[in-house]
Amino acid sequence: DFPGSFDALRSGAMLQRSCLTYDAAAERASIEDVGHAFNAKTIRMDAPAEPSGPIFIVGMPRTGTTLLEHMLAEHAGVCSAGE
């Protein structure tokens, strides 16, 4: 029942959206605040990186933490200790 399946999906999506309290304007403002806090003046991109100890990657499951760990481990100055 191809058409019926999309009707069921649409109904489920509408029900889920009715339970959410997402505010796009607040999200946009939050992202802009991060951009203002971490800009070229606050972060010197031309400063040489110095080894300073371990790098801890913290995140919820399925958010890209393992991918980030693999990307960082590709750098010659980073050694992965695993999860």
Side-chain angles (χ1 to χ4, degrees), residues 16-83:
Q16 177 65 24
R17 283 190 198 107
S18 71
C19 298
L20 300 177
T21 56
Y22 179 73
D23 183 354
E27 180 75 14
R28 191 174 308 110
S30 177
I31 292 170
E32 287 176 3
D33 288 345
V34 171
H36 292 304
F38 298 99
N39 56 40
K41 290 180 182 177
T42 60
I43 300 174
R44 284 194 43 213
M45 299 303 284
D46 60 340
E50 297 180 17
S52 61
I55 300 170
F56 292 96
I57 302 169
V58 181
M60 298 296 291
R62 312 279 313 149
T63 59
T65 54
T66 302
L67 176 61
L68 177 59
E69 183 265 333
H70 286 256
M71 291 168 61
L72 290 174
E74 289 295 316
H75 189 279
V78 177
C79 177
S80 174
E83 293 186 24

